[in-house]
Amino acid sequence: MADPTLLELYRRELTPDLYTEIRELYKRHSLAEDARDLPGLISTLTPDCVYELVETGHRWEGHEGAARFYTELLTAFPDIRFDLTDIVIGPQGVCEEANVSATHVAPWLGVEPSGDRLAWKVVIWFPWDVERRLFRGEKVYVGGIDVPAA
């Protein structure tokens, strides 16, 4: 028998208005990230949001955790660039795939900076919160770069 929570996600209806709402929130989130507008970015997230690097077990919880995640990431990789290669928007949230490039100039996740220009891939899942009309964080899957375990 399928998990009832999964069935609820699967059965969500997608209306044109809901699609537009989720897409617009994703755009606000992405534009705020590109502008390094931390308050604007945090405003797209539920207060109990979770950021997770799935393969390693790293987690950041709540608005404070999300702010810490972005501050650490953007300090380590101030010139980080996400080039979107794929995106799916639905009533469950947004899933994006991107090529990432950045110069590693400060410690990140305990890894000392190399000064090298790095390139890797990510798939990021932004789960949608139906009641609060915000994202519940990000689940990040990383490929092509070594990320230490938590």
Side-chain angles (χ1 to χ4, degrees), residues 62-141:
H63 282 173
E64 187 226 316
R68 197 170 62 253
F69 169 81
Y70 277 107
T71 299
E72 292 169 2
L73 180 70
L74 297 174
T75 298
F77 303 101
D79 63 348
I80 197 166
R81 179 180 165 101
F82 292 84
D83 291 316
L84 198 62
T85 58
D86 241 324
I87 187 167
V88 176
I89 300 172
Q92 300 84 2
V94 175
C95 186
E96 73 172 25
E97 179 183 70
N99 293 321
V100 182
S101 59
T103 308
H104 189 191
V105 301
W108 189 61
L109 303 176
V111 176
E112 290 302 312
S114 65
D116 294 336
R117 183 86 178 152
L118 305 174
W120 65 95
K121 289 190 167 287
V122 294
V123 173
I124 305 172
W125 166 240
F126 298 80
W128 173 251
D129 187 295
V130 174
E131 286 80 33
R132 294 179 279 184
R133 319 306 282 181
L134 297 167
F135 294 123
R136 292 192 327 264
E138 297 182 20
K139 284 184 173 181
V140 182
Y141 300 84

